[in-house]
Amino acid sequence: MKTGGKKINRELILRGNMLHAILSLAIPVVINSFLQTMYNLTDTYWLGKIGTAELAAINLVTPVQNIIINFGSGITVAGSVLVTQFIGAGKKEEALKMANQIFAAAMLFALVCTTVCFLATPGIVTWLGADEETYRHSLVYLRVVIWDMPFLFMVNLFSAIHQAQGDTLRPMFLNLGGILLNLALDPLLIVGLDLGAGGAAAATLFAKMVPALAAFFLLTRPGKEIRLSRKQMAFEKEKLKLILKIGLPSAIGGSTMQLGFLLMSRNVYAYGTQAMAAYGIGNKVNGLITLPSNGIGSATATIVGQNIGAGQQERAEQGYKISMGICVVFLFIGGMILSRKPISTAIVSIFSDDREVIAMAADFLSIMASWCFTNGVYNATMGLFQGTGHTEVTMAVDASRLWVFRFLTLWVCGELLHMEVRSVWYSVVVSNAISAGILYLLYRLGVWKKVKIRLRPEGEDKDGAQGSEKKA
């Protein structure tokens, strides 16, 4: 029997101190998420140094890439949920088979979508309304960076498999190597070789390729409890149905949300290149602010998933409540600090020398930081519903957050209140707050308690024994 970190983490998740379990999972995830964010932040920093048009270009087309990534991520989300619950139920062989099914499906999806997006890029950028200079930079950037998708999915799968086992350290170290490579390549390719947006895309591509190859090697090593094996990759109808059942709602929710972001970018671009650059900077900095909340939400999904798999519903709920409390307190204090105008201005000034861009980005960041505590409720409760397999709930909330609440707020603020570009800023925070409130209401109504994934035959208790009688 193994006595390594994964075994210890499983014991901690199922029977140990809950606060310790949350932090031991969340801290590496937060660091890992920060490292992932650094890919875009380093691109933003160096492109901001050479021109506003280049910066606006990547902000304009990034949602296109994110639409495809988020749809494909529904597959890895399903994998994480299913592998986590199989591990919690002690069904290691089923967890192994599911991991291989997820890998085969994710790689097939990545290759098909990357090819289609590459061919469709000119039409997409034209539809977004880019001017001649922005079009040129956007076309080069998207056509190069889109090929990182198979490598990104490989790293995400590695993270999902290890996180499902309670191991969040190895994914963190893997991504650390990638971001260090990106930090070195960005100035070399963007400034040194004067490749501009194309250099930023190439740096990201190479920096994700290396950790992806390392992840594949680590996942195929013999002797691991959950590993990639060619004989396990032949598609199985029942497992594919389960992946679709859990993953499709998450995929639809995530991709429709990103499509909403794409339309938001189009709305922002109507206010000019400077507004587009400010919007991108504000979103990226806000992403850093909410990283701890995202990490704790991810830890919540793992803790809830394993405890639900083990038949420990009360402990799963305890983990959720503690997680949400930590998120809300942290983001409220941090948000009050970062919403101060001198602080927000100093932060966004790192990414641009354009005074108009700095002023708009600082205003956007101040407004978002004041409301960011609502993200604590949103992330933790999303983790609860994902961990229990209720991805149809996360799909509905994700889609309505953008397509109903954000665009409605944007229309009211822009058309009725004539707030111009600030209508975009307020549409973001109002829609996030409403969605957080809806998720919390659904939690209070007990929607998450409904059994979504049945891992044991009816009548079998959590230890695998068959009960002799049922309670009324």
Side-chain angles (χ1 to χ4, degrees), residues 414-467:
E415 298 297 322
L416 301 184
L417 302 180
H418 307 291
M419 295 171 65
E420 296 187 337
V421 75
R422 287 193 109 200
S423 62
V424 177
W425 308 163
Y426 278 101
S427 72
V428 172
V429 295
V430 170
S431 61
N432 288 348
I434 293 173
S435 298
I438 290 172
L439 277 172
Y440 186 72
L441 176 62
L442 292 173
Y443 154 70
R444 296 291 297 176
L445 291 173
V447 173
W448 67 280
K449 294 180 180 179
K450 181 181 177 182
V451 176
K452 188 72 177 177
I453 307 168
R454 192 169 295 282
L455 303 180
R456 307 180 186 85
E458 289 196 35
E460 184 180 309
D461 66 20
K462 67 182 180 181
D463 294 316
Q466 295 294 327

Side-chain angles (χ1 to χ4, degrees), residues 80-102:
S80 182
V81 171
L82 294 165
V83 172
T84 299
Q85 292 205 18
F86 278 128
I87 289 171
K91 296 180 179 290
K92 300 254 178 90
E93 186 63 28
E94 291 300 307
L96 169 65
K97 291 178 181 178
M98 185 58 69
N100 280 274
Q101 296 287 297
I102 294 293

Side-chain angles (χ1 to χ4, degrees), residues 4-16 20-21 24-25 162 165-169 306:
K6 294 175 187 175
K7 178 68 175 177
I8 293 170
N9 279 344
R10 182 171 183 270
E11 291 299 312
L12 180 63
I13 290 168
L14 296 179
R15 284 172 277 280
H20 184 194
S24 68
L25 288 173
H162 281 265
Q165 298 173 83
D167 174 19
T168 51
L169 281 172
Q306 284 208 20

Side-chain angles (χ1 to χ4, degrees), residues 34-98:
F34 173 75
L35 295 174
Q36 291 277 13
T37 303
M38 285 299 292
Y39 284 106
N40 284 331
L41 283 176
T42 51
D43 289 352
T44 300
Y45 175 81
W46 288 107
L47 289 174
K49 296 301 179 187
I50 63 173
T52 300
E54 287 88 346
L55 188 57
I58 68 166
N59 290 330
L60 183 66
V61 298
T62 293
V64 177
Q65 183 189 18
N66 289 341
I67 288 171
I68 304 170
I69 289 172
N70 274 263
F71 194 92
S73 292
I75 300 172
T76 53
V77 166
S80 182
V81 171
L82 294 165
V83 172
T84 299
Q85 292 205 18
F86 278 128
I87 289 171
K91 296 180 179 290
K92 300 254 178 90
E93 186 63 28
E94 291 300 307
L96 169 65
K97 291 178 181 178
M98 185 58 69

